[in-house]
Amino acid sequence: MDRLVTQLSRLPSIGKRSAQRLAFHLLKSPAQDAAELAAAITDLKQNARHCSECFNLTESDPCPICADPKRDQATILVVEQPSDIAAFEATGTYRGVYHVLMGRLSPLDGLGPGELTVEPLLRRAKPAAPQADPTTAAASDPGSSAKPTHSSPPVREVILGMGPTLEGDGTALYLAQRLQESGVNVTRLARGLPTGSTLEMVSKAVLSDSIQGRHAMPVD
Amino acid sequence: MDRLVTQLSRLPSIGKRSAQRLAFHLLKSPAQDAAELAAAITDLKQNARHCSECFNLTESDPCPICADPKRDQATILVVEQPSDIAAFEATGTYRGVYHVLMGRLSPLDGLGPGELTVEPLLRRAKPAAPQADPTTAAASDPGSSAKPTHSSPPVREVILGMGPTLEGDGTALYLAQRLQESGVNVTRLARGLPTGSTLEMVSKAVLSDSIQGRHAMPVD
């Protein structure tokens, strides 16, 4: 009992008293339920891995999103964490694929580009090769026609989906600069007024963003 | 004393007990302070009026913003309430002028275009007359060259600064349609992720907005 309480209280947002309450609940519940919970925890650690394409958490590789033929493989939304994918999927509006950066640039915490999945992203973000005349291309610049490292389709757009924070902005700028040479379109999530709020509720920075990012009003 | 408590408790967010506390505070404070408060209240009602140009609350007409030669008179930010002007001015980034709508369209509350300052806005939003050949213009369409009703300069852009709510959106769409014939550029404040938040904190609607409104990432 003491061992379980100690283990449970190491989970985030679960203190000693919550851990005791959970442990007593498990003690009273049917053996079947407790066994299933234990098996689910074991399974998670044994079977969950990162998708070799997008680094999403998955039990199959490639993950169900990368393997879905109905998703637009030419649009990649770059996010910081696997949990961000769940948030975007819940909106039901995004039909492209993802790339999990596994964090964001944070020099103070010692997180540089090498700790993130930047290089795999650059390898994925190969645009469609322009239909140039092969003889001219070979003659003028033979070194630039690198062979594709794998069979993924050409990418049209990379959306930088970092959070609207200072570190998120820094990471987005770094990635935009690195992606520039690949020639793909690089876009950033819109910044502005959060739907459903009121002007009195939002900060000065949000109001400034909303003015700077204003766009033509569509009239049908 | 009772009369003052009754009057104070009619103010928003001040209950009976707060009103009593305020009244006792006034009773204990120097006569000078109480007199100044009373004078300020009287002054407000005697001198505050709406600017005849933009309907901002002001003591002088036109208001200091409309009268400021350093403000860009060709850009009008349309807001719902005079208090919204204070919020945008606090950002220090907007250099144009304003137009206070005095509310927003709300059919359920009986608020139609006639209750708002829509007509004065349409009169203000006259774009610069195109430098057409006078003979051709007069021959082809003599009725369309309406005389300007007052001497305000031509307007280049009208920014719809309604709140990011259903009624705000409805009002913005109505105004955009009405302004369409005037030929000025009509823009809307950006909708998206509020700066400083995190992706986990925002709603599905905000995430959808941020994807739909994504824009090319500037790289310097």
Side-chain angles (χ1 to χ4, degrees):
Chain A
M1 183 80 181
D2 272 356
R3 222 185 75 200
L4 179 58
V5 170
T6 309
Q7 292 302 320
L8 284 171
S9 60
R10 290 167 70 181
L11 296 171
S13 86
I14 294 185
K16 184 96 196 247
R17 290 183 72 108
S18 303
Q20 279 173 341
R21 221 169 22 240
L22 291 170
F24 275 111
H25 174 83
L26 287 169
L27 204 62
K28 282 187 294 183
S29 55
Q32 173 81 10
D33 288 11
E36 273 177 18
L37 177 60
I41 291 172
T42 314
D43 270 18
L44 173 75
K45 295 306 284 183
Q46 277 175 352
N47 299 326
R49 69 191 77 144
H50 291 288
C51 172
S52 59
E53 189 70 12
C54 75
F55 295 89
N56 187 11
L57 279 177
T58 178
E59 293 184 16
S60 57
D61 191 11
C63 74
I65 295 174
C66 286
D68 187 346
K70 292 200 292 295
R71 309 282 302 214
D72 172 17
Q73 304 281 337
T75 305
I76 298 178
L77 174 53
V78 185
V79 296
E80 296 176 13
Q81 304 291 347
S83 60
D84 294 337
I85 293 185
F88 281 110
E89 286 298 286
T91 69
T93 51
Y94 180 65
R95 299 306 302 158
V97 293
Y98 296 92
H99 187 90
V100 181
L101 212 52
M102 304 301 283
R104 57 187 169 205
L105 293 181
S106 179
L108 290 179
D109 301 326
L111 276 175
E115 278 70 45
L116 309 178
T117 62
V118 174
E119 293 305 326
L121 173 65
L122 294 175
R123 281 197 296 274
R124 286 180 78 187
K126 295 282 174 218
Q131 294 294 325
D133 181 45
T135 51
T136 341
S140 63
D141 196 1
S144 74
S145 56
K147 276 169 232 135
T149 51
H150 55 82
S151 63
S152 59
V155 168
R156 201 180 331 106
E157 178 179 359
V158 172
I159 308 169
L160 300 176
M162 281 86 247
T165 59
L166 212 61
E167 288 183 348
D169 282 347
T171 308
L173 187 60
Y174 172 81
L175 290 178
Q177 287 167 338
R178 292 294 305 273
L179 286 163
Q180 203 172 16
E181 41 202 88
S182 75
V184 296
N185 296 318
V186 180
T187 58
R188 181 98 170 87
L189 296 181
R191 197 77 64 92
L193 300 172
T195 294
S197 71
T198 63
L199 289 184
E200 297 100 70
M201 277 165 56
V202 303
S203 69
K204 282 192 253 182
V206 171
L207 283 181
S208 290
D209 279 347
S210 74
I211 297 177
Q212 269 171 21
R214 68 185 186 268
H215 50 81
M217 174 88 191
V219 183
D220 301 324
Chain B
M1 184 78 181
D2 273 354
R3 222 185 75 201
L4 179 58
V5 170
T6 308
Q7 292 301 320
L8 284 172
S9 60
R10 291 168 68 182
L11 296 171
S13 84
I14 294 185
K16 185 99 196 244
R17 291 183 72 108
S18 302
Q20 280 173 339
R21 218 165 27 235
L22 291 169
F24 275 111
H25 175 84
L26 288 170
L27 203 61
K28 283 186 294 183
S29 56
Q32 173 81 10
D33 289 9
E36 273 177 17
L37 177 61
I41 292 172
T42 314
D43 269 20
L44 173 76
K45 295 305 287 182
Q46 278 176 351
N47 299 327
R49 69 193 74 143
H50 290 288
C51 171
S52 59
E53 189 70 13
C54 75
F55 296 89
N56 187 11
L57 279 178
T58 178
E59 292 183 19
S60 58
D61 191 10
C63 75
I65 295 173
C66 285
D68 186 346
K70 292 200 294 294
R71 307 285 300 216
D72 172 17
Q73 304 280 336
T75 305
I76 299 177
L77 174 53
V78 185
V79 296
E80 296 176 12
Q81 305 291 346
S83 60
D84 294 337
I85 293 185
F88 282 109
E89 287 297 287
T91 70
T93 52
Y94 180 66
R95 297 308 301 157
V97 294
Y98 295 92
H99 187 90
V100 181
L101 212 51
M102 305 302 282
R104 58 187 168 204
L105 293 181
S106 178
L108 290 178
D109 301 324
L111 275 175
E115 277 72 44
L116 308 178
T117 62
V118 174
E119 293 304 326
L121 173 64
L122 294 174
R123 280 197 296 277
R124 286 180 77 186
K126 296 282 174 217
Q131 294 293 327
D133 180 45
T135 51
T136 342
S140 64
D141 195 2
S144 73
S145 56
K147 279 169 230 137
T149 51
H150 55 81
S151 62
S152 58
V155 167
R156 201 181 331 107
E157 178 178 359
V158 172
I159 308 169
L160 301 176
M162 281 86 247
T165 59
L166 211 61
E167 289 183 347
D169 281 347
T171 308
L173 187 61
Y174 172 81
L175 290 178
Q177 287 167 339
R178 292 294 307 272
L179 286 163
Q180 204 173 15
E181 43 201 87
S182 75
V184 295
N185 297 318
V186 180
T187 58
R188 181 99 170 85
L189 295 182
R191 197 78 63 92
L193 301 171
T195 294
S197 72
T198 63
L199 290 184
E200 297 100 72
M201 278 166 56
V202 303
S203 70
K204 283 192 252 182
V206 172
L207 282 181
S208 289
D209 279 348
S210 74
I211 296 177
Q212 267 169 24
R214 68 185 186 268
H215 51 80
M217 174 88 192
V219 183
D220 300 323

